C-alpha cells in the first residue's frame, strides 16, 4: 500500500490520477478538477481518461472498477486481504492515523474513522462497496 503513489510531481500525471480516482468513485467530477484537467490534458485527454476507465470496468465484467479488480483477483486466487500479504492487525489503526494526519487532495474529506473502516475491510478482504458521497 505504501508503495502506490497518490501524489505525482508531473501535473498531467497528478490530474489523470485524480480524475480516474473520482470517476472510479462517485462518477461526479468537481468543477475545479474538471477545469484543471482541461487546462492540463485538453478535452481529448479528459475523454481518453474516461474512455479507459469505462473500458477497464467493462473488461472486468463489472459495473464498478474496484469491485471488478477484487473479483478478478479472487477468481485468479490472488490475495484480496491485507492480512494475506503480511499486514498485521496492529498496523490497521496506524495506517489510518498516518493517512489521515497528512492527506493528499481528495474530492471527499479524509475522515479517520471512515478511513479506518475502509482499511479494516481491506485487511479482512471484504469486497469494495459502492462509494457514497
Amino acid at each position: 500500500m505504501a508503495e502506490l503513489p497518490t501524489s505525482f510531481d508531473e501535473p498531467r500525471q497528478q490530474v489523470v490520477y485524480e480524475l480516474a480516482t473520482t470517476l472510479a468513485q462517485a462518477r461526479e467530477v468537481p468543477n475545479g478538477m474538471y477545469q484543471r484537467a482541461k487546462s492540463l490534458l485538453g478535452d481529448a485527454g479528459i475523454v481518453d481518461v474516461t474512455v479507459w476507465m469505462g473500458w477497464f470496468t467493462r473488461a472486468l465484467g463489472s459495473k464498478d472498477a474496484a469491485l471488478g479488480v477484487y473479483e478478478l483477483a479472487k477468481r485468479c486466487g490472488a490475495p484480496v486481504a491485507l492480512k494475506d500479504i503480511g499486514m498485521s492487525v496492529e498496523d490497521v489503526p496506524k495506517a489510518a492515523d498516518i493517512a489521515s494526519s497528512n492527506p493528499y487532495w481528495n474530492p471527499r474529506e479524509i475522515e479517520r474513522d471512515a478511513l479506518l473502516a475502509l482499511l479494516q475491510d481491506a485487511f479482512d478482504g471484504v469486497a469494495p462497496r459502492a462509494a457514497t458521497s
Side-chain angles (χ1 to χ4, degrees):
M1 194 164 70
E3 290 133 19
L4 298 175
T6 56
S7 179
F8 300 86
D9 293 331
E10 209 278 303
R12 289 172 50 93
Q13 289 176 337
Q14 183 67 33
V15 79
V16 165
Y17 167 79
E18 291 172 12
L19 191 58
T21 300
T22 301
L23 289 169
Q25 296 297 319
R27 307 274 190 228
E28 296 175 12
V29 178
N31 188 52
M33 181 187 294
Y34 168 77
Q35 293 300 328
R36 199 158 43 94
K38 185 173 179 166
S39 71
L40 291 168
L41 305 174
D43 290 326
I46 292 172
V47 170
D48 289 346
V49 171
T50 56
V51 167
W52 276 105
M53 290 299 296
W55 178 86
F56 182 68
T57 301
R58 281 190 309 278
L60 292 171
S62 178
K63 292 182 180 180
D64 180 271
L67 184 57
V69 170
Y70 174 87
E71 290 169 345
L72 176 64
K74 263 189 112 159
R75 282 194 307 267
C76 294
V80 293
L82 293 174
K83 65 184 175 186
D84 295 337
I85 59 171
M87 187 173 192
S88 71
V89 69
E90 295 83 16
D91 290 336
V92 174
K94 291 177 190 175
D97 289 339
I98 291 167
S100 61
S101 69
N102 188 20
Y104 61 90
W105 182 90
N106 195 55
R108 177 178 169 185
E109 182 181 344
I110 303 294
E111 300 166 351
R112 186 197 180 278
D113 290 343
L115 189 56
L116 180 60
L118 176 74
L119 288 168
Q120 187 63 55
D121 282 353
F123 179 81
D124 293 330
V126 175
R129 296 181 187 92
T132 56
S133 300

